[in-house]
């Protein structure tokens, strides 16, 4: 498996959209992620777990939604989404896995939907894409 790209939207301390493109060059295939303590390195790793399996193992049980976005959502009585997208190649086939979760205001509290939404697509040989049925995604992962 070759991981090509990780995209985050409002995931933990990553407010807004953030993209990391990993090296896919055969001779220079290492991507280093450096940062100070609490800058988000572990969050990046946990985002892979959450995207693949719908769960993350953070020490604190804080919401996965960015705290600033959560405050704005509460103030404006709106909804807010988090999303993680992983683009990868496996056995010569390009896949995209996307997991998202909607947060909403109920009373004076911010709640998350009970179940996240996951989609998986792959690139066909003719260049088009096809969706993997939801009941097959976990087996494919």
């Amino acid at each position: 498996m070759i991981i090509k790209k990780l995209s985050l939207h409002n995931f933990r301390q990553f407010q807004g959209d953030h993209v990391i493109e990993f090296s896919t060059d055969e001779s220079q295939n290492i991507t280093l992620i450096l940062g100070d303590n609490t800058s988000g390195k572990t969050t990046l790793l946990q985002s892979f777990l959450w995207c693949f399996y719908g769960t993350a193992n953070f020490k604190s049980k804080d919401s996965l939604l960015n705290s600033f976005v959560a405050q704005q959502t509460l103030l404006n009585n709106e909804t807010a989404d988090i999303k993680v997208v992983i683009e990868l190649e496996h056995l010569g086939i390009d896949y995209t896995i996307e997991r998202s979760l909607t947060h909403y205001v109920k009373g004076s509290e911010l709640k998350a939907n009970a179940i996240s939404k996951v989609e998986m697509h792959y690139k066909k040989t003719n260049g088009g894409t096809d969706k993997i049925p939801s009941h097959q995604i976990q087996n494919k992962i």
Side-chain angles (χ1 to χ4, degrees):
M1 173 174 65
I2 299 170
I3 298 173
K4 294 182 171 187
K5 188 188 292 189
L6 173 67
S7 302
L8 305 172
H9 176 76
N10 291 334
F11 191 82
R12 300 275 292 193
Q13 65 262 51
F14 294 97
Q15 179 184 350
D17 295 316
H18 297 268
V19 177
I20 297 173
E21 293 190 29
F22 295 90
S23 175
T24 57
D25 185 303
E26 287 188 24
S27 63
Q28 297 177 349
N29 59 0
I30 295 174
T31 301
L32 294 177
I33 299 175
L34 303 171
D36 293 332
N37 289 345
T38 71
S39 64
K41 300 178 302 292
T42 300
T43 298
L44 292 176
L45 291 173
Q46 293 290 341
S47 71
F48 281 98
L49 276 177
W50 186 75
C51 187
F52 286 137
Y53 305 111
T55 186
N57 297 321
F58 291 104
K59 288 181 182 176
S60 69
K61 297 299 177 192
D62 296 340
S63 170
L64 295 177
L65 181 64
N66 174 271
S67 59
F68 179 78
V69 174
Q71 290 172 356
Q72 294 301 312
T73 302
L74 274 170
L75 286 174
N76 299 321
N77 200 26
E78 298 173 338
T79 62
D81 293 326
I82 61 170
K83 181 169 50 172
V84 176
V85 180
I86 299 171
E87 295 178 26
L88 57 91
E89 178 188 326
H90 182 64
L91 300 175
I93 301 172
D94 289 330
Y95 293 92
T96 301
I97 305 166
E98 177 179 314
R99 187 175 296 272
S100 61
L101 182 65
T102 299
H103 292 72
Y104 60 94
V105 177
K106 184 173 184 180
S108 60
E109 290 186 65
L110 188 65
K111 302 277 188 182
N113 284 346
I115 299 174
S116 59
K117 179 181 174 187
V118 63
E119 291 186 359
M120 188 172 187
H121 296 87
Y122 67 95
K123 187 180 277 187
K124 299 188 300 187
T125 55
N126 67 5
T129 60
D130 207 354
K131 186 175 180 178
I132 294 174
S134 58
H135 67 278
Q136 293 179 357
I137 291 175
Q138 283 307 312
N139 287 337
K140 198 70 162 166
I141 289 175

